[in-house]
């Protein structure tokens, strides 16, 4: 599971902006954020590194949202709460991983001081 950068003592890096590509560019399987058009290896490494950091940051943030959503869906105060097995099925996780994500989400909710239901 991803650990928020603030809690690990590291400052979050500001990732490179992810610019959505036009549909015609994404139709070409060789096209990837215009990296194939960069000839200078120094520039290519810099831009590819920016994208890597941006994707990692996006992944970490998305995992946090998944965990919060899982915790909210499994909240015992909800009349329509889901079991860990139900959450696992919806997210295509194992039941064990769903339990871990539910607990992680609860930790995130407690750390933010937000109620489980907004």
């Amino acid at each position: 599971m991803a650990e928020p950068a603030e809690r690990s003592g590291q400052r979050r890096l500001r990732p490179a902006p992810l610019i959505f590509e036009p549909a015609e560019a994404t139709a070409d399987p060789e096209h990837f954020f215009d990296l194939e058009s960069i000839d200078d290896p120094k520039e290519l490494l810099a831009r590819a590194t920016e994208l890597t950091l941006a994707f990692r940051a996006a992944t970490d943030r998305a995992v946090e949202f998944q965990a919060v959503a899982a915790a909210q869906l499994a909240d015992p105060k909800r009349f329509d709460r889901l079991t860990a097995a139900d959450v696992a099925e919806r997210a295509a996780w194992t039941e064990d991983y769903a339990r871990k994500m539910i607990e992680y989400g609860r930790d995130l909710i407690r750390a933010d001081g937000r109620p489980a239901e907004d």
Side-chain angles (χ1 to χ4, degrees):
M1 284 183 284
E3 181 177 311
E6 295 90 38
R7 285 196 281 196
S8 67
Q10 298 173 333
R11 192 172 151 250
R12 280 195 182 191
L13 298 175
R14 184 172 211 100
L18 295 179
I19 301 168
F20 292 97
E21 298 182 278
E24 62 273 1
T26 57
D28 178 6
E30 295 299 315
H31 185 80
F32 187 74
F33 287 89
D34 212 25
L35 292 178
E36 70 287 343
S37 68
I38 300 174
D39 293 326
D40 179 13
K42 289 178 186 174
E43 185 182 339
L44 178 60
L45 178 60
R47 181 63 181 146
T49 301
E50 287 176 343
L51 286 170
T52 299
L53 293 173
F55 289 134
R56 284 182 188 153
T59 299
D60 290 347
R61 194 71 177 124
V63 167
E64 290 172 359
F65 278 103
Q66 280 184 312
V68 168
Q72 290 173 336
L73 288 169
D75 186 345
K77 292 180 255 176
R78 288 177 63 115
F79 76 93
D80 61 345
R81 85 178 187 101
L82 299 180
T83 65
D86 294 331
V87 172
E89 184 178 335
R90 285 179 181 240
W93 296 333
T94 64
E95 190 172 340
D96 185 51
Y97 186 74
R99 280 192 290 276
K100 290 176 183 178
M101 287 294 279
I102 290 166
E103 188 55 40
Y104 179 50
R106 288 177 179 155
D107 290 345
L108 289 172
I109 290 168
R110 277 191 294 272
D112 285 346
R114 296 186 334 202
E117 282 295 313
D118 286 329

